Amino acid sequence: MHEISGLAWSGRGRVRSVDVSADGGATWAAAALGEPILSKALTRFRIAWRWDGGPHALMSRATDETGAVQPRRADWVAKYAAGQGYHSNAIQSWHVDARGQVRHVYA
């Protein structure tokens, strides 16, 4: 078992939930949120993950109290333009290879 953890944030209010995917977004599981959960503040999340030794694409997406959900990168790029990175709130992806090495990827 491994723990996946990170920080979620919303500029609209409190983070309501965070979902984590280990298969590139095909399926999602709810992560536990750490306290305190404050408006417009970083919120810690964590979830246990059983790594099978194979390659995986890890992703997390936050939903805030207004119902806004982080978009996939392709959806954000289509809406705001490929070269615009300022204020991007798109889902970030991480590739875990068979050796356990992790690197940032665009998925």
Side-chain angles (χ1 to χ4, degrees):
M1 293 297 287
H2 296 271
E3 181 178 83
I4 297 171
S5 70
L7 296 169
W9 178 83
S10 172
R12 295 182 176 192
R14 289 176 174 82
V15 172
R16 184 176 68 201
S17 64
V18 174
D19 299 313
V20 175
S21 175
D23 56 13
T27 62
W28 297 88
L33 300 182
E35 296 288 339
I37 302 172
L38 304 172
S39 182
K40 300 177 186 172
L42 295 172
T43 301
R44 171 70 63 189
F45 68 87
R46 55 182 31 102
I47 188 169
W49 175 51
R50 185 176 303 278
W51 181 46
D52 61 12
H56 290 272
L58 302 178
M59 306 168 91
S60 63
R61 66 178 179 200
T63 302
D64 69 21
E65 64 187 350
T66 71
V69 180
Q70 272 183 284
R72 290 183 179 266
R73 184 174 185 276
D75 296 333
W76 190 90
V77 168
K79 186 173 181 179
Y80 296 108
Q84 170 60 286
Y86 187 67
H87 286 298
S88 171
N89 70 329
I91 294 170
Q92 299 296 307
S93 303
W94 303 91
H95 177 76
V96 180
D97 68 20
R99 295 173 295 165
Q101 294 183 330
V102 180
R103 65 182 170 84
H104 178 257
V105 296
Y106 291 115

